[in-house]
Amino acid sequence: MPPFSHRVYGGDVCSYCGCQSIEMIGRFMAEHEDIVNLAGDLRRTAVSGDAQAVSDALDSAVGHLQPHTGAEEKGLFTVLRRNPDFTDHIATLCAEHDRLDELAEQIRGGHLELIDTFVHELREHIDKEENGLFPAAAIEMSGEDWDEAETLTRAP
């Protein structure tokens, strides 16, 4: 665990670099917490065996996840991708977004045994963003870059 960090919902969230004070990163980190909590609800609901409750919990988790990943890709990732040092990492994170969508569809199709995989991969993905990409973006991006990322995120 990095120095001066604390545990949140099973993941490490840095508190030493201050990147969460950047509006976009703070928003994404808050959304991460909500999404992980909803994924936990999905996991707990699956134990009940109630198919409708599982479907509702999955809808809730995915209903928060997809707009979040879309916003990351549309704004922050688009700006960071221009830097060759970030291109491969951004491609990996986008592939992980796609993988989470695929797992959600498989779960929706009745493969409840994949719920633990979904939750695990979600948490691993969030860890890469919060403890890798976000602090790096805070260092790399200028004020103009952040403004552009915000504009791109809001664009229709």
Side-chain angles (χ1 to χ4, degrees):
M1 186 180 315
F4 308 111
S5 70
H6 59 280
R7 305 286 286 170
V8 176
Y9 59 78
D12 294 331
V13 178
C14 72
S15 63
Y16 57 89
C17 77
C19 67
Q20 70 272 21
S21 67
I22 297 169
E23 185 176 342
M24 180 176 284
I25 292 178
R27 169 192 156 197
F28 288 155
M29 290 175 80
E31 290 173 359
H32 284 164
E33 186 170 357
D34 292 341
I35 292 163
V36 167
N37 288 334
L38 291 166
D41 292 345
L42 171 63
R43 179 184 269 163
R44 285 183 293 281
T45 302
V47 174
S48 74
D50 180 342
Q52 185 58 52
V54 170
S55 178
D56 292 345
L58 179 62
D59 288 345
S60 184
V62 171
H64 283 77
L65 177 63
Q66 289 177 338
H68 168 81
T69 59
E72 285 179 332
E73 291 180 17
K74 195 173 179 182
L76 181 63
F77 289 12
T78 296
V79 173
L80 283 174
R81 186 179 276 124
R82 293 182 195 138
N83 181 328
D85 293 336
F86 287 90
T87 305
D88 290 342
H89 191 62
I90 296 295
T92 297
L93 294 172
C94 289
E96 290 174 1
H97 288 170
D98 292 342
R99 166 75 174 155
L100 291 168
D101 288 343
E102 291 167 11
L103 284 169
E105 285 309 307
Q106 291 175 334
I107 293 165
R108 190 176 316 287
H111 294 279
L112 302 184
E113 73 278 4
L114 294 175
I115 290 173
D116 285 340
T117 300
F118 174 81
V119 173
H120 174 77
E121 290 186 22
L122 174 67
R123 287 175 179 238
E124 291 289 317
H125 173 79
I126 288 171
D127 183 63
K128 289 177 188 174
E129 290 183 347
E130 291 189 355
N131 293 303
L133 184 71
F134 293 169
I139 293 166
E140 179 64 29
M141 290 174 59
S142 68
E144 290 176 2
D145 293 330
W146 289 110
D147 291 343
E148 181 183 7
E150 279 291 336
T151 299
L152 290 169
T153 299
R154 288 190 308 266

